[in-house]
Amino acid sequence: MGTSEASAFCFLLGYRNGGYILQNRDSLNASRFYGPPWTEYLDCPWNTTDIETCLTRNWAYKDFRKTCDAHTNDAALKCRTDEYPEYEVKLIGGSLNEGQLRIEYNNSWYSVCSLRNNWRDVRATTAAVVCRQLGYMNGGEYRFITIDQPDLWIGLDCNGKEMNVGQCNYFMTHTYCGPIGYSNAVYVKCYEVDDADRQMSTYIEDDGRALIHRNGISWEICSNTWGDIEADAFCRMLVNSGGVETYLPYGRVPPRSGVYNVISNMFCPRGTHHLGDCFYGPTHGDGNHFYNPWEPSICKATGEYRAQRIVVGGVSCS
């Protein structure tokens, strides 16, 4: 959840300036919460005033599954009494549509950092907000680069629907970026309509795997990055109709281990009809290593998918 989901609930409470999901919710006293968790993976359009317009993947009463193992992840939010701030962004050291990401904050330019280990990783959703703010309406990708000099740093995490990085749920300045030099600076590439990187096709294997074909290489999809919106875009490319995601257990496909052609960090905005309009990011490997997007990586299934030994994304097209 992020600011779009928090803002939907804040509106119901009478606050018209949006809100944030609190980041320290794990430390909240669980005894303050009542009843079982009802749902997870809530996804609301930006500026919605009606939670009926939100999508959710798992409803406890409907899907007959536990949505959370404990109350440590219960959502808590803070509603704003003033408007979101707005910050300028730019990409340097590349071209007009790609480069190291910089944000102007308090009259200074900061580099965006993903701190390994003790800070959250920048997600593909963050690249979506940056490209949208810069006026690019197709997909994109990001990776980490090393810069030579010390810098001012900002940690940033968006859920992909914000109009400006100042609306993102996690925004914090700090003076440290990663345990190995300055190797965590974020580099963003926003796709243009005719980019070769945006050209891709889709097909379904006999065992049900959803595969993306790009630049002569086929890619599987990791279950923890696969959802209804991504599956719908996949099917529209394949048969010009909608679809829903499926998750294939180990028994359905050959076991996978180690590094192989798999997409593990992917985000498609709602309404996407082409996977070239989605956003792709690196995957955290072992230790301090990251695999860049569109290079062989690993699939780390999380939560219920790990418990059920589900790691491969499939699709059912209507």
Side-chain angles (χ1 to χ4, degrees):
M1 292 174 65
T3 49
S4 55
E5 289 74 31
S7 298
F9 286 99
C10 286
F11 186 89
L12 295 178
L13 295 170
Y15 295 91
R16 301 297 188 262
N17 291 309
Y20 295 100
I21 298 297
L22 297 180
Q23 295 298 313
N24 63 342
R25 59 188 181 276
D26 285 358
S27 64
L28 294 173
N29 184 356
S31 65
R32 293 165 50 194
F33 298 102
Y34 303 93
W38 278 101
T39 187
E40 65 179 345
Y41 301 124
L42 194 65
D43 182 297
C44 301
W46 184 252
N47 275 344
T48 187
T49 58
D50 182 2
I51 60 173
E52 293 295 330
T53 64
C54 302
L55 301 175
T56 184
R57 181 174 298 177
N58 294 336
W59 281 98
Y61 74 88
K62 183 177 69 174
D63 297 332
F64 302 103
R65 71 179 87 185
K66 289 195 304 182
T67 59
C68 293
D69 291 334
H71 280 284
T72 55
N73 287 321
D74 286 4
L77 59 87
K78 179 178 181 179
C79 299
R80 294 186 60 91
T81 57
D82 57 354
E83 294 182 354
Y84 289 107
E86 293 190 355
Y87 303 118
E88 294 295 321
V89 299
K90 65 181 179 181
L91 304 176
I92 64 171
S95 60
L96 288 177
N97 65 313
E98 66 176 291
Q100 183 200 342
L101 176 59
R102 305 267 285 173
I103 296 177
E104 187 178 30
Y105 175 74
N106 284 348
N107 298 317
S108 296
W109 285 95
Y110 286 70
S111 292
V112 175
C113 167
S114 173
L115 283 173
R116 302 164 183 165
N117 302 324
N118 56 344
W119 293 83
R120 67 177 62 235
D121 295 332
V122 178
R123 298 181 294 158
T125 48
T126 300
V129 176
V130 170
C131 291
R132 181 182 301 117
Q133 184 173 336
L134 291 172
Y136 295 96
M137 305 310 295
N138 301 110
E141 62 188 68
Y142 79 93
R143 55 188 170 88
F144 300 121
I145 63 170
T146 299
I147 59 175
D148 296 329
Q149 71 278 6
D151 210 339
L152 299 170
W153 298 98
I154 277 180
L156 181 67
D157 185 42
C158 312
N159 70 352
K161 290 156 283 189
E162 301 89 341
M163 300 294 110
N164 184 283
V165 295
Q167 300 164 343
C168 295
N169 198 72
Y170 178 83
F171 190 98
M172 181 179 292
T173 62
H174 46 85
T175 58
Y176 170 77
C177 184
I180 304 177
Y182 305 97
S183 58
N184 289 346
V186 173
Y187 186 100
V188 174
K189 178 177 182 179
C190 304
Y191 295 159
E192 297 188 281
V193 175
D194 56 353
D195 270 353
D197 290 335
R198 188 175 171 271
Q199 309 308 312
M200 54 188 77
S201 59
T202 61
Y203 61 100
I204 305 173
E205 287 281 40
D206 292 339
D207 58 17
R209 281 177 294 160
L211 297 183
I212 298 175
H213 193 69
R214 177 182 181 270
N215 292 337
I217 301 174
S218 295
W219 300 84
E220 292 186 7
I221 301 168
C222 189
S223 62
N224 62 345
T225 197
W226 192 230
D228 280 343
I229 296 175
E230 289 76 16
D232 190 73
F234 182 102
C235 289
R236 291 186 183 279
M237 292 177 63
L238 185 67
V239 293
N240 198 30
S241 69
V244 295
E245 87 282 10
T246 59
Y247 302 101
L248 308 181
Y250 273 110
R252 286 278 304 279
V253 297
R256 296 285 189 266
S257 61
V259 175
Y260 65 104
N261 292 344
V262 62
I263 299 170
S264 296
N265 188 351
M266 173 187 184
F267 166 73
C268 298
R270 188 185 293 207
T272 298
H273 287 180
H274 192 284
L275 294 176
D277 294 331
C278 301
F279 294 84
Y280 304 87
T283 303
H284 192 180
D286 296 326
N288 294 315
H289 180 69
F290 277 90
Y291 299 98
N292 285 327
W294 303 115
E295 74 174 25
S297 62
I298 59 177
C299 173
K300 290 184 176 181
T302 58
E304 63 175 305
Y305 307 123
R306 180 172 55 194
Q308 298 175 24
R309 294 177 63 79
I310 298 174
V311 295
V312 177
V315 67
S316 175
C317 298
S318 59

